[in-house]
Amino acid sequence: MTTYRRSAAFIALSVTAAATALTGAVTPPARADGAATTANTASVPALTWRSCAQTGGPATQECAELPVPLDYRDPDGPQLGLAVTRVRSDRPSARRGTLLVIPGGPGSSGVQRVTQKGEQLQRETAGQYDIVSLDPRGTGGSTKASCGLAPEDRELVHLRSWPAADGSITENVERSRRVAEACARNGGALLRSFTTVNEVRDIDRFRQALGEKKLSAWGTSYGTYVGAVYAQKYPQHTDRWVLDSSGDPDPSRVAQGWLANMAVGVDDRFPDFARWAADPAREAEGLRLAERAEDVRPLVLELAARLDREPKESTTAGVPLTGNRLRQAIQLALYRDSAFARLAGLVQEARDASVKPVLPAELAGPMPDQDAAVTIGVICNDVRWPGSIPSYRRAVAADRVKHPLTAGMPVNITPCAFWKDASVERPTRITDEGPSNILMIQGLRDPATPYSGALKMREALGDRARLVAVDHGGHGVYLGNGNACGDLAVTTFLTTGTRPEGDTYCAR
């Protein structure tokens, strides 16, 4: 999940689907036990690379289009186009392989991620890798689908099901049913193909098109789950594997569990913001919210309750600051320390009767329809979600009491409860079977993928993995939050293959 609205589990090139038949090395559907079946050995399409350097990105970045089957059970049937990218090693004599960047989301662009991080990765790894990535189906420059949703249904505070001020979920139920029906009506087979296991198969097809026997990888957020599933299905094709900010891989829940865990993650992380907002250094900036850190939480909870009763006009016409928009702004701001000042400023604006608050961009308008489609599609296609409306009401009521900062949103009903088609395949169970070549890195106070959930991934992988726990708040660790110890652990592994002998800890 790398941008705010796509980093949670609920979380360019113009490419169209081609109907031409291809003969390729295509991975058949996985067995029910999660193991990979034997792939065909026919050739895959060659990639035609062209320069696609962007301002602020690597000058040598290249892009291409990778054809993949709409349905891997029909490899010669309709094809989709995936946008792929690479930054070739600037030290060919030092090159040892290819490093795949796996974006978060669902819904984040791997091409954009390489634009943002490619040069830094090159420096950190001293040119040992070609840096590559792809835009998953429905994302960025790859073939996209549409649910045809109304703008109101694409607002982040509606895609994430925030209950009404009194805890009612009636409106959430109606909207979730409406969204699911629209996706079934407009998304078709393309939307149904948006699954984690298909992203994994697409990655392996990309590997073959690159001519690589093995890939190394750096997956972040949802990308850690994609990376774990790849390592489970294709362990023979993994080299040095980094999972940065992992969620619980429980195959019975998948994204439902990730979403529910956000309540814990926000509670873990909020004290960091509270200490920052009570620091006397904030006084001169006009951003000090309270004299004591312990007073910040009740202050923002009371403010959110007041905005529930009396929404405040914002600078965005027709989009008031409501209690739920404030709660969503809090959740977003906890991803990075650098967002604390903007959140404190929003709180101060909300408290000042003479000021119209300025909403964060993510909350000031609807998400593009095609982005909403892939975000909803993957999490609903991966696993069947419970459909009992009373069970969601009970869960929301309990969670609002236990985790008031998130007010029941993480356990509320979603369009997945009304999804029209059952999952084509059972989710992959992550196990300890496979090479011991995985390094996990995890912040202790992550608002989106909390440490407690990452420990479930660690447990599932067993001796295949080592865990570097970082005394850090925020989402994403490597090359993202300035912890030298954590960065060194990952860079050392990628460049030398050396991991800590056992799980280890990095102080602030």
Side-chain angles (χ1 to χ4, degrees):
M1 323 171 199
T2 53
T3 61
Y4 286 148
R5 64 181 169 196
R6 295 175 184 162
S7 292
F10 201 101
I11 126 254
L13 303 172
S14 176
V15 184
T16 57
T20 56
L22 292 174
T23 301
V26 179
T27 306
R31 301 201 314 258
D33 62 4
T37 51
T38 304
N40 298 330
T41 57
S43 62
V44 295
L47 296 172
T48 302
W49 295 101
R50 60 177 180 78
S51 174
C52 60
Q54 300 181 47
T55 303
T60 58
Q61 186 170 0
E62 297 175 296
C63 292
E65 179 181 327
L66 172 71
V68 298
L70 171 67
D71 186 341
Y72 276 87
R73 296 169 298 182
D74 182 18
D76 294 329
Q79 305 290 302
L80 311 180
L82 301 188
V84 299
T85 193
R86 73 178 179 186
V87 177
R88 303 185 76 173
S89 168
D90 57 354
R91 296 178 58 197
S93 62
R95 182 186 180 277
R96 66 169 304 275
T98 295
L99 175 63
L100 173 72
V101 176
I102 310 178
S108 289
S109 164
V111 174
Q112 182 184 38
R113 186 75 169 153
V114 170
T115 300
Q116 296 167 341
K117 294 292 186 179
E119 288 184 337
Q120 194 174 7
L121 273 173
Q122 266 195 335
R123 290 194 300 271
E124 287 291 322
T125 59
Q128 291 191 24
Y129 296 95
D130 292 344
I131 312 297
V132 305
S133 192
L134 53 78
D135 284 347
R137 299 174 183 221
T139 301
S142 296
T143 303
K144 295 182 179 181
S146 172
C147 285
L149 302 181
E152 183 186 43
D153 290 339
R154 291 185 269 114
E155 289 194 41
L156 186 57
V157 290
H158 294 150
L159 284 172
R160 293 185 180 175
S161 294
W162 290 93
D166 62 357
S168 167
I169 68 168
T170 301
E171 185 177 343
N172 304 129
V173 171
E174 293 172 354
R175 177 171 287 108
S176 293
R177 182 183 285 112
R178 181 168 67 245
V179 168
E181 290 173 350
C183 288
R185 185 168 58 249
N186 300 315
L190 177 57
L191 183 65
R192 288 290 299 143
S193 80
F194 294 172
T195 65
T196 297
V197 73
N198 273 340
E199 182 174 346
V200 164
R201 291 175 180 136
D202 293 345
I203 287 172
D204 200 59
R205 190 170 178 84
F206 186 29
R207 175 192 63 79
Q208 294 171 65
L210 290 167
E212 297 288 349
K213 182 178 180 180
K214 292 185 176 185
L215 295 172
S216 293
W218 170 37
T220 305
S221 193
Y222 166 69
T224 64
Y225 180 65
V226 175
V229 173
Y230 187 94
Q232 189 69 37
K233 290 184 174 295
Y234 303 106
Q236 73 277 23
H237 296 310
T238 61
D239 187 7
R240 297 171 184 174
W241 220 245
V242 177
L243 305 182
D244 180 345
S245 305
S246 301
D248 182 352
D250 180 353
S252 69
R253 305 188 76 200
V254 195
Q256 186 186 13
W258 306 334
L259 187 59
N261 284 347
M262 279 186 175
V264 174
V266 169
D267 284 348
D268 288 346
R269 171 64 162 155
F270 190 83
D272 289 343
F273 170 70
R275 283 190 292 273
W276 182 94
D279 190 322
R282 307 282 87 78
E283 200 76 61
E285 305 162 355
L287 298 176
R288 193 179 189 195
L289 301 184
E291 292 186 358
R292 303 184 306 165
E294 56 265 37
D295 293 331
V296 174
R297 178 181 165 112
L299 181 152
V300 298
L301 288 174
E302 189 281 328
L303 178 60
R306 174 150 51 91
L307 291 168
D308 284 336
R309 299 187 299 270
E310 300 174 7
K312 186 173 184 182
E313 184 180 1
S314 76
T315 57
T316 304
V319 185
L321 178 59
T322 62
N324 281 339
R325 283 197 172 90
L326 178 62
R327 295 181 185 100
Q328 184 62 73
I330 292 169
Q331 198 269 335
L332 296 180
L334 297 181
Y335 279 61
R336 295 282 184 273
D337 288 1
S338 59
F340 285 178
R342 182 67 197 92
L343 175 58
L346 180 65
V347 170
Q348 296 290 53
E349 291 166 0
R351 299 168 74 192
D352 187 338
S354 66
V355 173
K356 289 184 180 180
V358 180
L359 297 178
E362 295 86 358
L363 300 179
M367 181 186 295
D369 186 63
Q370 293 174 324
D371 291 350
V374 68
T375 301
I376 298 167
V378 174
I379 69 170
C380 296
N381 289 332
D382 268 3
V383 68
R384 172 64 78 181
W385 290 48
S388 167
I389 295 172
S391 70
Y392 286 105
R393 286 199 181 100
R394 291 191 295 271
V396 165
D399 218 52
R400 285 170 65 83
V401 173
K402 190 174 182 180
H403 305 288
L405 283 168
T406 46
M409 178 275 290
V411 297
N412 202 358
I413 199 164
T414 72
C416 303
F418 301 103
W419 213 239
K420 299 301 181 183
D421 298 300
S423 303
V424 175
E425 302 166 77
R426 287 188 293 176
T428 302
R429 180 175 294 279
I430 306 303
T431 74
D432 60 359
E433 297 176 4
S436 184
N437 62 353
I438 299 172
L439 181 68
M440 294 178 60
I441 186 163
Q442 184 74 31
L444 295 181
R445 298 178 304 285
D446 188 317
T449 53
Y451 186 68
S452 54
L455 290 179
K456 298 292 186 180
M457 177 73 85
R458 176 69 186 88
E459 180 182 7
L461 290 168
D463 196 50
R464 297 180 69 186
R466 301 290 184 270
L467 171 64
V468 178
V470 179
D471 186 2
H472 156 74
H475 185 53
V477 182
Y478 185 53
L479 306 185
N481 283 286
N483 185 278
C485 170
D487 287 352
L488 179 61
V490 174
T491 296
T492 298
F493 174 55
L494 289 175
T495 54
T496 70
T498 301
R499 301 178 304 176
E501 291 186 6
D503 293 352
T504 189
Y505 167 80
C506 283
R508 297 190 192 194

